[in-house]
Amino acid sequence: DQHLKDQDRFMFYYNHERYLCRLHGLTPFEVLEGQIPCKSWFKKEIQEAKELRIIENRKFNVCESFC
């Protein structure tokens, strides 16, 4: 019985709360309801994240503790 409850909770999470990369920020349920995924929604955020990651990587690479 508990495994069925756990399965139901997972299915709800998967379809209503989990955001899949391939759906560009939408849940499967949102797509089923008719929303159309759009790659450009997060274009700015993705670019900013890339730039910040480069900065963080450069900081790490100049670390004197391990060099």
Side-chain angles (χ1 to χ4, degrees):
D1 241 11
Q2 183 60 39
H3 68 283
L4 293 175
K5 289 179 185 177
D6 291 340
Q7 182 180 8
D8 287 342
R9 284 187 337 176
F10 176 78
M11 292 300 292
F12 183 85
Y13 161 77
Y14 187 88
N15 289 318
H16 298 274
E17 297 174 4
R18 182 174 181 246
Y19 297 96
L20 302 173
C21 292
R22 291 185 178 172
L23 298 180
H24 305 291
L26 297 177
T27 65
F29 187 75
E30 289 170 327
V31 173
L32 286 173
E33 289 290 303
Q35 292 188 42
I36 299 172
C38 178
K39 289 182 183 181
S40 64
W41 282 345
F42 300 104
K43 193 173 188 174
K44 180 182 175 188
E45 289 85 352
I46 291 170
Q47 184 59 40
E48 288 174 355
K50 284 181 183 179
E51 292 170 3
L52 289 174
R53 176 54 41 209
I54 290 171
I55 292 168
E56 289 300 315
N57 287 345
R58 286 183 181 150
K59 287 180 187 177
F60 180 78
N61 289 332
V62 296
C63 177
E64 297 179 14
S65 301
F66 299 104
C67 299

